[in-house]
Amino acid sequence: MSLRLGDIAPNFQAKTTAGDIDFYEFLGNGWGILFSHPADYTPVCTTELGKTALLQDEFAKRNVKVLAVSVDGLDKHVGWVKDINETQNVTVGFPIIADEDRNVATLYDMIHPNASETFTVRSLFVIGPDKKVKLMITYPASTGRNFYEVLRVVDSLQLTANYSVATPADWKEGEDVIVVPAVSTDDAIKKFPKGVKVVKPYLRYTPQPNK
Ligand code: BEZ
């Protein structure tokens, strides 16, 4: 059965470019991103892994460990990483799983047979410190993902895990956030000393509480 938001992310052991790993041990008590791409030595995937490498410090700042996966083997991964480093001007510092037996792809439902019988689609999971799935996105092979958007969602997930707020459309770190409907306006005024702007009884904004 496919995974849904709030489900426990399945653990697994896998061969990676950084050696054998146990997923839960790799994650430790922090956040994680597990993302698949269709195949090594392909152009869009090269740019995606390059962009992820470029943003490594941003993920680390947020206590997020990144792990890539495809059904290609370790030898191919190692050779391809050299190409990514060279062409994208980065140093890939996160592991890539060699999922030749499709164990991870199957656990995370990353093969969508009507898109491709053999290759993983572009799936991405954000996993919280409680090992639960917080975000799932699925893109086709033809469309590279926006990794700034992934960082933006991580910011929202980490904020809303700690405060009774939600983030509006296109929100970015530092902008006003929305008071969740479960909190009354009277309580919101007490909880959010920076102020509450009531646009409608159900639409209330407050400055980002942890800034
Ligand atoms: C790519 O990464 O460029 C790609 C992979 C599979 C199909 C189409 C494009």
Side-chain angles (χ1 to χ4, degrees), residues 177-193:
V177 297
I178 285 175
V179 179
V180 294
V183 176
S184 71
T185 298
D186 282 349
D187 285 347
I189 290 163
K190 288 180 212 138
K191 257 181 193 284
F192 302 113

PDB file of all heavy atoms in Angstrom, residues 177-193:
ATOM      1  N   VAL A 177       2.397  34.911   9.351  1.00  0.00           N
ATOM      2  CA  VAL A 177       1.806  33.575   9.256  1.00  0.00           C
ATOM      3  C   VAL A 177       0.348  33.642   9.712  1.00  0.00           C
ATOM      4  O   VAL A 177      -0.119  34.686  10.185  1.00  0.00           O
ATOM      5  CB  VAL A 177       2.604  32.561  10.116  1.00  0.00           C
ATOM      6  CG1 VAL A 177       4.025  32.438   9.596  1.00  0.00           C
ATOM      7  CG2 VAL A 177       2.614  32.971  11.593  1.00  0.00           C
ATOM      8  N   ILE A 178      -0.337  32.538   9.545  1.00  0.00           N
ATOM      9  CA  ILE A 178      -1.773  32.482   9.836  1.00  0.00           C
ATOM     10  C   ILE A 178      -2.000  31.757  11.163  1.00  0.00           C
ATOM     11  O   ILE A 178      -1.369  30.724  11.421  1.00  0.00           O
ATOM     12  CB  ILE A 178      -2.493  31.757   8.667  1.00  0.00           C
ATOM     13  CG1 ILE A 178      -2.578  32.712   7.475  1.00  0.00           C
ATOM     14  CG2 ILE A 178      -3.850  31.222   9.075  1.00  0.00           C
ATOM     15  CD1 ILE A 178      -3.153  32.097   6.217  1.00  0.00           C
ATOM     16  N   VAL A 179      -2.889  32.302  11.980  1.00  0.00           N
ATOM     17  CA  VAL A 179      -3.279  31.631  13.232  1.00  0.00           C
ATOM     18  C   VAL A 179      -4.209  30.476  12.857  1.00  0.00           C
ATOM     19  O   VAL A 179      -5.167  30.662  12.099  1.00  0.00           O
ATOM     20  CB  VAL A 179      -4.008  32.617  14.175  1.00  0.00           C
ATOM     21  CG1 VAL A 179      -4.441  31.914  15.455  1.00  0.00           C
ATOM     22  CG2 VAL A 179      -3.123  33.821  14.480  1.00  0.00           C
ATOM     23  N   VAL A 180      -3.933  29.282  13.380  1.00  0.00           N
ATOM     24  CA  VAL A 180      -4.767  28.126  12.986  1.00  0.00           C
ATOM     25  C   VAL A 180      -6.189  28.298  13.526  1.00  0.00           C
ATOM     26  O   VAL A 180      -6.404  28.883  14.597  1.00  0.00           O
ATOM     27  CB  VAL A 180      -4.165  26.770  13.459  1.00  0.00           C
ATOM     28  CG1 VAL A 180      -2.858  26.477  12.757  1.00  0.00           C
ATOM     29  CG2 VAL A 180      -3.992  26.722  14.974  1.00  0.00           C
ATOM     30  N   PRO A 181      -7.164  27.763  12.787  1.00  0.00           N
ATOM     31  CA  PRO A 181      -8.574  27.934  13.182  1.00  0.00           C
ATOM     32  C   PRO A 181      -8.892  27.417  14.586  1.00  0.00           C
ATOM     33  O   PRO A 181      -9.805  27.930  15.242  1.00  0.00           O
ATOM     34  CB  PRO A 181      -9.336  27.123  12.117  1.00  0.00           C
ATOM     35  CG  PRO A 181      -8.423  27.099  10.932  1.00  0.00           C
ATOM     36  CD  PRO A 181      -7.028  27.088  11.478  1.00  0.00           C
ATOM     37  N   ALA A 182      -8.133  26.420  15.071  1.00  0.00           N
ATOM     38  CA  ALA A 182      -8.431  25.843  16.397  1.00  0.00           C
ATOM     39  C   ALA A 182      -8.180  26.828  17.545  1.00  0.00           C
ATOM     40  O   ALA A 182      -8.653  26.608  18.662  1.00  0.00           O
ATOM     41  CB  ALA A 182      -7.586  24.588  16.606  1.00  0.00           C
ATOM     42  N   VAL A 183      -7.447  27.897  17.273  1.00  0.00           N
ATOM     43  CA  VAL A 183      -7.146  28.880  18.333  1.00  0.00           C
ATOM     44  C   VAL A 183      -8.119  30.060  18.211  1.00  0.00           C
ATOM     45  O   VAL A 183      -8.234  30.674  17.132  1.00  0.00           O
ATOM     46  CB  VAL A 183      -5.681  29.364  18.205  1.00  0.00           C
ATOM     47  CG1 VAL A 183      -5.371  30.448  19.225  1.00  0.00           C
ATOM     48  CG2 VAL A 183      -4.719  28.190  18.370  1.00  0.00           C
ATOM     49  N   SER A 184      -8.816  30.373  19.292  1.00  0.00           N
ATOM     50  CA  SER A 184      -9.765  31.508  19.268  1.00  0.00           C
ATOM     51  C   SER A 184      -8.963  32.810  19.167  1.00  0.00           C
ATOM     52  O   SER A 184      -7.769  32.848  19.526  1.00  0.00           O
ATOM     53  CB  SER A 184     -10.615  31.521  20.535  1.00  0.00           C
ATOM     54  OG  SER A 184      -9.791  31.892  21.630  1.00  0.00           O
ATOM     55  N   THR A 185      -9.615  33.859  18.727  1.00  0.00           N
ATOM     56  CA  THR A 185      -8.907  35.139  18.599  1.00  0.00           C
ATOM     57  C   THR A 185      -8.440  35.633  19.975  1.00  0.00           C
ATOM     58  O   THR A 185      -7.325  36.137  20.111  1.00  0.00           O
ATOM     59  CB  THR A 185      -9.803  36.171  17.893  1.00  0.00           C
ATOM     60  OG1 THR A 185     -10.073  35.670  16.569  1.00  0.00           O
ATOM     61  CG2 THR A 185      -9.128  37.528  17.778  1.00  0.00           C
ATOM     62  N   ASP A 186      -9.265  35.436  21.006  1.00  0.00           N
ATOM     63  CA  ASP A 186      -8.848  35.843  22.371  1.00  0.00           C
ATOM     64  C   ASP A 186      -7.575  35.108  22.780  1.00  0.00           C
ATOM     65  O   ASP A 186      -6.623  35.716  23.287  1.00  0.00           O
ATOM     66  CB  ASP A 186      -9.954  35.531  23.393  1.00  0.00           C
ATOM     67  CG  ASP A 186     -11.072  36.565  23.323  1.00  0.00           C
ATOM     68  OD1 ASP A 186     -10.871  37.601  22.637  1.00  0.00           O
ATOM     69  OD2 ASP A 186     -12.122  36.323  23.931  1.00  0.00           O
ATOM     70  N   ASP A 187      -7.537  33.809  22.540  1.00  0.00           N
ATOM     71  CA  ASP A 187      -6.337  33.028  22.885  1.00  0.00           C
ATOM     72  C   ASP A 187      -5.146  33.430  22.010  1.00  0.00           C
ATOM     73  O   ASP A 187      -4.005  33.474  22.479  1.00  0.00           O
ATOM     74  CB  ASP A 187      -6.597  31.519  22.733  1.00  0.00           C
ATOM     75  CG  ASP A 187      -7.456  30.985  23.873  1.00  0.00           C
ATOM     76  OD1 ASP A 187      -7.626  31.712  24.867  1.00  0.00           O
ATOM     77  OD2 ASP A 187      -7.965  29.854  23.744  1.00  0.00           O
ATOM     78  N   ALA A 188      -5.429  33.715  20.734  1.00  0.00           N
ATOM     79  CA  ALA A 188      -4.349  34.099  19.816  1.00  0.00           C
ATOM     80  C   ALA A 188      -3.665  35.381  20.304  1.00  0.00           C
ATOM     81  O   ALA A 188      -2.428  35.498  20.268  1.00  0.00           O
ATOM     82  CB  ALA A 188      -4.898  34.280  18.404  1.00  0.00           C
ATOM     83  N   ILE A 189      -4.443  36.314  20.794  1.00  0.00           N
ATOM     84  CA  ILE A 189      -3.876  37.584  21.275  1.00  0.00           C
ATOM     85  C   ILE A 189      -2.930  37.320  22.457  1.00  0.00           C
ATOM     86  O   ILE A 189      -1.885  37.939  22.587  1.00  0.00           O
ATOM     87  CB  ILE A 189      -5.020  38.574  21.627  1.00  0.00           C
ATOM     88  CG1 ILE A 189      -5.698  39.035  20.327  1.00  0.00           C
ATOM     89  CG2 ILE A 189      -4.506  39.773  22.422  1.00  0.00           C
ATOM     90  CD1 ILE A 189      -7.059  39.674  20.497  1.00  0.00           C
ATOM     91  N   LYS A 190      -3.304  36.325  23.289  1.00  0.00           N
ATOM     92  CA  LYS A 190      -2.423  35.975  24.427  1.00  0.00           C
ATOM     93  C   LYS A 190      -1.187  35.214  23.950  1.00  0.00           C
ATOM     94  O   LYS A 190      -0.073  35.431  24.420  1.00  0.00           O
ATOM     95  CB  LYS A 190      -3.197  35.108  25.423  1.00  0.00           C
ATOM     96  CG  LYS A 190      -4.249  35.875  26.200  1.00  0.00           C
ATOM     97  CD  LYS A 190      -4.976  34.946  27.180  1.00  0.00           C
ATOM     98  CE  LYS A 190      -6.423  35.396  27.350  1.00  0.00           C
ATOM     99  NZ  LYS A 190      -7.390  34.325  27.377  1.00  0.00           N
ATOM    100  N   LYS A 191      -1.392  34.316  22.986  1.00  0.00           N
ATOM    101  CA  LYS A 191      -0.291  33.455  22.516  1.00  0.00           C
ATOM    102  C   LYS A 191       0.725  34.204  21.666  1.00  0.00           C
ATOM    103  O   LYS A 191       1.897  33.832  21.630  1.00  0.00           O
ATOM    104  CB  LYS A 191      -0.884  32.369  21.596  1.00  0.00           C
ATOM    105  CG  LYS A 191      -1.029  30.997  22.210  1.00  0.00           C
ATOM    106  CD  LYS A 191      -1.621  30.071  21.129  1.00  0.00           C
ATOM    107  CE  LYS A 191      -2.109  28.777  21.648  1.00  0.00           C
ATOM    108  NZ  LYS A 191      -1.128  27.793  21.982  1.00  0.00           N
ATOM    109  N   PHE A 192       0.250  35.193  20.926  1.00  0.00           N
ATOM    110  CA  PHE A 192       1.129  35.859  19.958  1.00  0.00           C
ATOM    111  C   PHE A 192       1.269  37.341  20.322  1.00  0.00           C
ATOM    112  O   PHE A 192       0.564  38.203  19.784  1.00  0.00           O
ATOM    113  CB  PHE A 192       0.586  35.680  18.533  1.00  0.00           C
ATOM    114  CG  PHE A 192       0.436  34.237  18.140  1.00  0.00           C
ATOM    115  CD1 PHE A 192      -0.821  33.678  17.922  1.00  0.00           C
ATOM    116  CD2 PHE A 192       1.550  33.412  18.018  1.00  0.00           C
ATOM    117  CE1 PHE A 192      -0.967  32.345  17.583  1.00  0.00           C
ATOM    118  CE2 PHE A 192       1.418  32.070  17.685  1.00  0.00           C
ATOM    119  CZ  PHE A 192       0.162  31.531  17.470  1.00  0.00           C
ATOM    120  N   PRO A 193       2.204  37.638  21.218  1.00  0.00           N
ATOM    121  CA  PRO A 193       2.320  39.016  21.729  1.00  0.00           C
ATOM    122  C   PRO A 193       2.741  40.033  20.662  1.00  0.00           C
ATOM    123  O   PRO A 193       2.595  41.247  20.887  1.00  0.00           O
ATOM    124  CB  PRO A 193       3.384  38.897  22.832  1.00  0.00           C
ATOM    125  CG  PRO A 193       4.050  37.575  22.634  1.00  0.00           C
ATOM    126  CD  PRO A 193       3.123  36.708  21.869  1.00  0.00           C
TER     127      PRO A 193
END
